[in-house]
């Protein structure tokens, strides 16, 4: 016979979770909600994590800092927002021409990736748990078509992170603008192009009303992962079972968010196309130039940053192998496209 | 201050889990091990599930029956092994020319698929939790090359389930042989071709020593999912928190198995190729003929089975939509293949 209150003898734990997302982006903010709800359900409400949207406790791009300083016990954010602190954090999220969602998960959970990334986050007093993936994103909105790499030169584009660094190498005038301000900047012509996430999220920002051409693939973000960043002190104070429950809830949030994006993007894309959005595929010329620039960036970063080299070297071997496998087992079905 | 024994006041639960797998197939049997280990870790060892390999408690293809009869509280198996009881169970695992692993998860977790499948399993007194995916499999081993659909006629091939029914429509003499006996049958020429899983598992059976040509893609299994099948009586007796922990452990096993296969298959494929295995891609002629036969099978099954029609109809709408999205966001990166 079971006790009706399984956790009755266990102390309560109340955490706060700062996030980088507005609540309106329900899929990505949903990652933090999912972690919160699953942990509460698994502990009969004894261990709760309350998520806060960007700006409620701290600005959206200072979540890592807030966890590091102990302002909050944890945060839900993207490692690559903090590449200014250490460019190696880009590997926690997505690398241009890198791994797709499944490949990234394989690297994390079965290829030694999680251990490598934890070594990077450890410098910030943080232990990271992958907790969400958007899948391959779109390649951004442009007011005018771009057919060759030369067409990119001089364009003003909102694109952060490593993708922005690649675009800068191609002559783009790179702008960093918070999500909520992209529409106005694009609509008023302060910028010529902008990327955000994909159809479901971009539609909410209204970007389709400010630019006509919607490019794909999102070569700079083939499988962006989000992390639950947990302060090591708060983590150490958890009972062992709660640590395990936290890990499992994050894995579940990871697979759930990927499912949500895959389930919702196509309907949004059809709505956008019905409204006049024109889909355009990046030319081979642009992809080749961008990939070349990214390989130069890898060499530069690995040359001057030991942490980057330590992660990049095995990651690159892994990337080649898993890409080769997916050329065999996944691509031919996409080619046939029944 | 936390109690060091969080679950000290909770009753112990001891379950047995029959599986369809030999222990030697560590990735797929690993799904049951993962569920077991994670549940134990999350409950401080208060809720344990002991997995048994195929044949230890019940034969590998009678796991659903054993759960239905209450011989075991749960089992780890594939729904499509039981299409003889209801062909709709095929949707729980994989359908020829159907969903890949991510698409299947999106359908399950965000597209209404899990609810539909639970309605099917309910007839057997079972509640199902997806708990593993192998990713797209290979297309089997052949002693001689097959270039057109006509080349398939009269071949004896080991291939179970809906894939076998499609092959039968194409004139193949379909054989059902347990995994452990495939090598001998193929080596002695009792069969001309056989399929199992993919490089990592097939290598263990030694199929590369009995046939030279290794075909891809595995169009009949683009993303096979495994289920934890739980007896509804045993499930109902669990405390609520344990129910939630069970669900989360299964989601974690789902993402973990996919990671393991993606991480291990390429190295195995390279070993096979080094040993003389010749890779061959199924021709467009064979894929088209097989897809046509599968669409006929859908129509036949939906026509005579209300359960099949209830699941197939929304599944087919979902399939078209998610395939369209992956043609945009995933395929172009595989095409570029940096």
């Amino acid at each position: 016979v079971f006790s009706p209150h399984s956790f009755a003898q266990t102390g309560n734990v109340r955490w706060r979770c700062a996030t980088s997302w507005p609540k309106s982006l329900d899929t990505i903010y949903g990652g933090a909600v999912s972690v919160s709800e699953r942990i509460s359900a698994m502990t009969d409400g004894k261990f709760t994590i309350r998520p806060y949207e960007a700006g409620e406790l701290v600005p959206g791009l200072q979540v890592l800092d807030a966890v590091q300083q102990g302002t909050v016990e944890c945060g839900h954010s993207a490692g690559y927002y903090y590449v200014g602190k250490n460019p190696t954090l880009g590997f926690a999220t997505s690398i241009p021409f890198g791994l797709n969602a499944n490949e990234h998960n394989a690297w994390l959970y079965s290829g030694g990736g999680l251990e490598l990334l934890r070594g990077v986050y450890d410098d910030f007093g943080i232990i990271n748990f992958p907790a969400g993936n958007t899948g391959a994103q779109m390649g951004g909105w442009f007011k005018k078509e771009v057919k060759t790499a030369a067409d990119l030169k001089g364009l003003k584009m909102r694109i952060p992170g490593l993708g922005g660094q690649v675009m800068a190498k191609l002559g783009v005038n790179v702008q960093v603008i918070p999500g909520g301000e992209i529409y106005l900047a694009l609509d008023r012509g302060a910028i010529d192009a902008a990327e955000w996430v994909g159809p479901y999220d971009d539609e909410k920002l209204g970007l389709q009303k400010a630019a006509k051409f919607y490019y794909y693939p999102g070569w700079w973000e083939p499988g962006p992962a989000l992390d639950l960043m947990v302060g090591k002190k708060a983590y150490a104070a958890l009972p062992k079972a709660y640590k395990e429950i936290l890990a499992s809830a994050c894995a579940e949030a990871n697979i759930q968010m990927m499912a949500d994006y895959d389930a919702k993007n196509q309907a949004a894309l059809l709505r956008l196309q019905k409204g006049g959005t024109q889909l355009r595929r990046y030319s081979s010329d642009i992809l080749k130039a961008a990939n070349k620039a990214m390989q130069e960036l890898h060499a530069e970063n690995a040359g001057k940053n030991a942490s980057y080299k330590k992660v990049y070297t095995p990651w690159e071997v892994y990337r080649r192998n898993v890409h080769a496998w997916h050329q065999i087992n996944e691509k031919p079905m996409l080619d046939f496209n029944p």
Side-chain angles (χ1 to χ4, degrees), chain A:
Chain A
V1 183
F2 307 120
S3 157
H5 302 290
S6 317
F7 293 79
Q9 302 303 311
T10 312
N12 287 333
V13 180
R14 300 275 173 265
W15 279 10
R16 300 192 302 171
C17 178
T19 78
S20 298
W21 334 110
K23 281 183 186 173
S24 57
L25 297 177
D26 61 318
T27 34
I28 197 162
Y29 182 78
V33 173
S34 172
V35 169
S36 165
E37 290 182 349
R38 296 301 301 143
I39 288 176
S40 178
M42 287 192 272
T43 62
D44 282 335
K46 290 282 179 175
F47 178 13
T48 61
I49 299 179
R50 182 174 167 188
Y52 292 84
E53 70 177 331
E56 269 195 283
L57 296 178
V58 296
L61 301 183
Q62 292 175 27
V63 169
L64 182 143
D65 311 71
V67 178
Q68 183 179 10
Q69 290 152 16
T71 309
V72 290
E73 291 83 4
C74 65
H76 191 254
S77 185
Y80 71 178
Y81 288 151
Y82 312 97
V83 291
K85 300 174 189 291
N86 182 349
T88 320
L89 286 166
F91 289 93
T93 313
S94 201
I95 298 287
F97 302 102
L99 307 174
N100 71 15
N102 276 1
E103 293 166 350
H104 187 69
N105 286 333
W107 180 62
L108 289 173
Y109 296 131
S110 195
L114 188 54
E115 290 76 8
L116 283 169
L117 292 176
R118 284 192 170 160
V120 180
Y121 274 110
D122 197 60
D123 292 343
F124 302 94
I126 285 171
I127 179 168
N128 55 305
F129 295 85
N133 199 301
T134 70
Q137 299 195 352
M138 291 291 285
W141 298 84
F142 289 75
K143 284 177 168 288
K144 291 182 182 168
E145 290 187 78
V146 286
K147 295 183 176 176
T148 66
D151 291 343
L152 293 169
K153 285 192 211 307
L155 283 186
K156 287 184 191 169
M157 180 175 188
R158 185 270 177 195
I159 173 171
L162 282 168
Q165 291 179 36
V166 169
M167 283 293 197
K169 275 181 177 277
L170 300 181
V172 170
N173 184 340
V174 172
Q175 310 282 315
V176 178
I177 299 172
E181 299 169 28
I182 299 174
Y183 166 73
L184 263 187
L186 193 59
D187 192 55
R188 291 181 180 174
I191 53 176
D192 307 299
E195 69 88 45
W196 181 236
V197 179
Y200 184 74
D201 291 334
D202 291 4
E203 185 186 35
K204 293 190 179 187
L205 292 193
L207 302 185
Q208 69 278 8
K209 291 178 275 182
K212 184 176 172 186
F213 299 104
Y214 199 16
Y215 274 76
Y216 69 97
W219 48 263
W220 53 88
E221 296 183 276
L226 297 319
D227 280 321
L228 192 78
M229 304 174 182
V230 181
K232 297 200 85 165
K233 278 190 187 172
Y235 183 72
L238 288 178
K240 184 175 174 306
Y242 286 8
K243 288 179 183 171
E244 304 287 354
I245 284 168
L246 176 74
S248 200
C250 289
E252 191 174 1
N254 193 358
I255 201 169
Q256 181 67 49
M257 190 192 295
M258 183 69 260
D260 290 340
Y261 273 107
D262 267 344
K264 293 178 176 179
N265 268 323
Q266 178 61 14
L269 185 59
L270 289 176
R271 284 192 299 272
L272 292 171
Q273 288 181 279
K274 207 173 173 184
T277 291
Q278 299 281 314
L279 278 185
R280 290 291 182 275
R281 184 166 173 162
Y282 275 117
S283 65
S284 174
D285 183 66
I286 290 177
L287 293 178
K288 282 179 185 168
N291 186 40
K292 184 167 174 285
M294 185 61 227
Q295 302 317 314
E296 290 168 12
L297 260 180
H298 278 312
E300 289 164 23
N301 286 333
K304 66 190 176 196
N305 182 315
S307 158
Y308 196 98
K309 190 177 179 184
K310 184 180 173 182
V311 174
Y312 169 65
T313 306
W315 177 91
E316 174 61 12
V317 172
Y318 193 89
R319 185 188 69 78
R320 287 172 190 267
N321 277 318
V322 76
H323 274 207
W325 169 236
H326 283 169
Q327 288 291 312
I328 296 295
N329 84 318
E330 295 285 354
K331 181 170 182 292
M333 290 306 292
L334 287 163
D335 287 343
F336 183 60
N337 190 26

